[in-house]
Amino acid sequence: MMPIPFIKMSGAGNDFILIDNRKAVVADSDMALFVSKVCRRKMSAGADGLILIEDSDAADFKWRFYNADGSIAEMCGNGARCAARFAFLNGIAGRQMRFETLAGIIHAHVLEECVRVKMTDPHSFSLDVELSVLGQTVRCGCVNTGVPHAVVNVDDIEAVDVATMGRAIRFHEHFAPAGTNVNFVAGDPQGMWSARTYERGVEDETLACGTGMAAVALILAAQSAVTAPVLLKTRSGSVLKIHFVRQGEIFSDLFLEGDARIIYDGCLNPEAWQY
C-alpha cells in the first residue's frame, strides 16, 4: 500500500488525522484496526480521532468519523470544525458549506482559523438523573447533541478525577448498552465556566469536546445558570462559544464556534499501521 497523505489538525485541543478519501486512498477492509493503529500516541501519528473526507450526492462532501479506538461516532463538534476548514482550504467547499454525517447534514462557516458549525438539534433531555457511582450519589443532566452526554456540576474542576469518575459514569448501567460521554463543569469567581470531558471511544479525558461543550451549555441554560452565547474554557485552555435559541424548554439553532488549527501535513507510511 502506498503512503497516504494527511493533515493533522486541532480543534481546541481535540486533535484529528484528516484524509482526503475522495479517490479511495484508504481501503475499506479492517478500518477499525487501521484507525486504532494510526491514532496510537508515540507509535504512530497519534490523534483523538480520524476523519475521512469523501464525495456526497446530498452535500458538498461527507465524512466518516472514527474515534481513536476505531469505533464510529455519529458526530464530533471539534472534528466538524476541522473538517470544514480542511474542505475549504482544499477547494472541496466554499466558506459556507454543508456536509453529511451520521447525525445528519451539518452546516459550517469558515471565518479564518475560527469555524462555526451548526449542530444537530439537541434531544433526549433529562435534567436530574441520579446515579450510584463508586460508593457515592452523583446527579447529572443528560442531553444528546449529536452523541449522548452526561453533565455533572462540581465545585472544583481541578479536583475531579475525570478518568476514574468519568469511566464509571460512562459505563454505568443507566446508559447501557451504548454508554455516554461525561462532562464535569464548574464556575469560577471571574464568571468563566470551565469544563472537562471523558470521551467515549477515546476512553480517557481529552483536552476538549465540542459536542460536550454544547451539552454543558444547554444543561447550564436549562438550570437557569446561563444565557446564550455561552463561553466555556476547555482543558486545553481554548475557549469555545456556544450559541442557541431557547423557547421555553425547547432549544434550537445550536452553533459551536472555535479554532480549527492546522498542525502539520505529511504522509502515513505503511509502517504507521502495520505494527
Side-chain angles (χ1 to χ4, degrees), residues 217-259:
L218 294 178
I219 293 297
L220 288 175
Q223 295 170 343
S224 300
V226 298
T227 56
V230 179
L231 298 177
L232 288 170
K233 185 178 180 181
T234 66
R235 194 60 175 164
S236 69
S238 293
V239 175
L240 294 175
K241 181 182 287 187
I242 298 91
H243 309 260
F244 55 84
V245 173
R246 181 179 184 180
Q247 294 180 312
E249 298 305 312
I250 304 299
F251 293 87
S252 61
D253 295 321
L254 177 62
F255 287 85
L256 175 69
E257 182 178 331
D259 64 290

Side-chain angles (χ1 to χ4, degrees), residues 106-124:
I106 300 298
H107 295 251
H109 183 194
V110 178
L111 305 172
E112 286 302 335
E113 292 84 3
C114 185
V115 179
R116 180 185 294 184
V117 294
K118 187 176 189 298
M119 311 288 280
T120 55
D121 286 338
H123 62 88
S124 304

